[in-house]
Amino acid sequence: AHGWPGLIAAYRSYLPVSDQTPIVTLHEGNTPLIPVPAIAQEIGRQVQVFVKYDGLNPTGSFKDRGMTLAISKAKEAGVEAVICASTGNTSAAAAAYARRGGLRAFVLIPDGYVALGKLAQALLYGAEVLAIRGNFDQALEIVREMAATYPVTLVNSVNPYRLEGQKTAAFEVVDVLGDAPDWLCIPVGNAGNITAYWMGFCEYHQQGRCDLLPRMMGFQAAGASPLVTGTAFSHPETLATAIRIGNPANWQRAIAVQEASQGAYTAVTDAEILEAYRLLAAREGIFCEPASAASVAGMLKLKEQIPTGATVVCVLTGNGLKDPDCAIQHCMNQFKQGVEPTLAEVASVMGF
Ligand code: F0G
């Protein structure tokens, strides 16, 4: 009984588990809520800004929160194989937890649009990976059919246990702040995570553990922003491949969250995402993946609307190491290569 036991043990009374549930855990959760003063300063008024750095979970994204519960419940039910469609992170988490629990993991990914770190994870964890010549939305349609037809359990965020596990992130935010924030800024793809956070805040509110309920501010990449425009995108495009989704699986829930919380869905361009991505890394020392930076990009885009004195939490859903190509590609201009191995040359290139 030392250290953090994982989120199921930590929030057991809030989760649908019993003594019969075999808990499959990598001690996920309990990720830091980090103040980001340099980013707060960009707002130009007194606002407290934190990031919930969920990229520090065991497989590097918030998906671990949902997967510990989804896999534990699948194992409890005697399931032998799970399946998911993924832009990368779900496949990594599904693979890790399924294999740890002794289950097979099948994953469908869009060929050529999964960041390298995520693909490496899914393969090494031992998933059976199929890259399809299509996008995420097409992959999701196929795995839904697969799960309806064959003895494989779907672990995308339409699996209710996924959201139950993910709601614990909201609990952790409240446990640290002592109340809910005024705004919760979050990147949105399938809208599972925004739904889960809202469930978590509402549940804590009902239990008297927080007074406030946040405005849920969801951000989508402009090239994949169906919740902003109100129509599905048949060809979603963004460098934030994690949220390259044109037809969110949790569309109705996403609308319900927005209405209940007086929130909004807003698009951010890839350029705005990259700007926030660099700002987080170069000013705060926090490396997240591009999709995650959409939360900060969005908050900065809407900065005029933030009430003075407010507390804002931006969710950083995935670790920057997931997508090293993106970082390197966008930093080539500051990378001095081919330097002669002499003191004089090194000092000269440094400008001394
Ligand atoms: N951020 C990251 C890093 C993600 O990987 C995802 C979703 C999201 C945000 C959006 O979360 O879908 O609940 O609204 N990734 C899924 C995947 C689609 O397959 O890994 P959402």
Side-chain angles (χ1 to χ4, degrees):
H2 296 286
W4 175 258
L7 62 84
I8 294 180
Y11 293 108
R12 201 176 168 88
S13 65
Y14 292 91
L15 296 171
V17 291
S18 74
D19 294 344
Q20 271 67 59
T21 315
I23 306 301
V24 181
T25 180
L26 287 162
H27 296 227
E28 57 296 310
N30 195 28
T31 56
L33 190 69
I34 309 173
V36 284
I39 284 170
Q41 210 162 39
E42 299 277 316
I43 297 168
R45 283 168 295 119
Q46 196 267 315
V47 173
Q48 273 193 299
V49 184
F50 298 87
V51 293
K52 176 65 171 162
Y53 192 18
D54 245 357
L56 288 184
N57 275 300
T59 80
S61 86
F62 72 97
K63 305 288 182 178
D64 295 346
R65 295 181 179 278
M67 217 51 83
T68 182
L69 193 63
I71 298 296
S72 295
K73 295 302 285 188
K75 202 168 151 70
E76 180 179 359
V79 165
E80 287 173 6
V82 297
I83 191 168
C84 66
S86 182
T87 56
N89 283 323
T90 299
S91 70
Y97 285 83
R99 298 307 300 144
R100 189 170 173 85
L103 279 59
R104 290 177 75 181
F106 295 102
V107 309
L108 255 66
I109 56 171
D111 206 352
Y113 289 93
V114 170
L116 207 58
K118 306 176 187 183
L119 180 58
Q121 287 178 293
L123 291 169
L124 192 68
Y125 287 137
E128 294 161 65
V129 181
L130 284 75
I132 63 153
R133 289 197 223 105
N135 61 30
F136 170 85
D137 303 287
Q138 295 168 298
L140 183 62
E141 241 179 81
I142 295 168
V143 297
R144 278 183 190 263
E145 284 288 309
M146 286 289 303
T149 313
Y150 299 100
V152 288
T153 294
L154 190 60
V155 292
N156 279 104
S157 60
V158 291
N159 177 322
Y161 298 122
R162 280 278 312 277
L163 301 191
E164 288 288 329
Q166 286 173 213
K167 76 185 179 188
T168 60
F171 296 167
E172 291 177 13
V173 168
V174 173
D175 288 346
V176 170
L177 292 179
D179 204 341
D182 297 287
W183 278 28
L184 191 286
C185 298
I186 185 168
V188 175
N190 273 312
N193 211 27
I194 194 169
T195 303
Y197 264 89
W198 182 243
M199 283 165 53
F201 287 124
C202 289
E203 211 168 313
Y204 249 28
H205 188 258
Q206 277 157 12
Q207 301 283 327
R209 302 200 59 149
C210 57
D211 294 327
L212 289 172
L213 281 173
R215 290 185 69 183
M216 302 295 287
M217 309 302 280
F219 298 99
Q220 298 201 290
S225 51
L227 293 169
V228 180
T229 64
T231 40
F233 281 50
S234 44
H235 299 287
E237 273 312 336
T238 168
L239 65 76
T241 53
I243 52 173
R244 187 173 173 270
I245 293 171
N247 189 14
N250 297 291
W251 195 313
Q252 293 314 318
R253 286 183 170 130
I255 302 300
V257 169
Q258 185 234 313
E259 287 173 354
S261 77
Q262 293 166 323
Y265 292 103
T266 306
V268 286
T269 65
D270 281 4
E272 289 166 334
I273 288 173
L274 281 176
E275 175 64 23
Y277 174 68
R278 291 182 81 135
L279 202 59
L280 276 161
R283 300 290 304 285
E284 304 285 7
I286 298 171
F287 189 19
C288 67
E289 62 175 288
S292 304
S295 62
V296 170
M299 178 198 68
L300 292 174
K301 187 165 192 157
L302 302 185
K303 66 183 182 183
E304 301 308 329
Q305 298 178 29
I306 304 173
T308 301
T311 298
V312 178
V313 170
C314 297
V315 181
L316 299 185
T317 46
N319 196 299
L321 294 171
K322 293 273 193 176
D323 192 354
D325 293 334
C326 181
I328 294 168
Q329 251 177 48
H330 292 90
C331 295
M332 283 316 273
N333 59 347
Q334 73 192 63
F335 185 22
K336 300 171 175 77
Q337 297 177 85
V339 179
E340 289 303 320
T342 65
L343 177 64
E345 179 71 6
V346 167
S348 151
V349 172
M350 287 178 175
F352 290 108

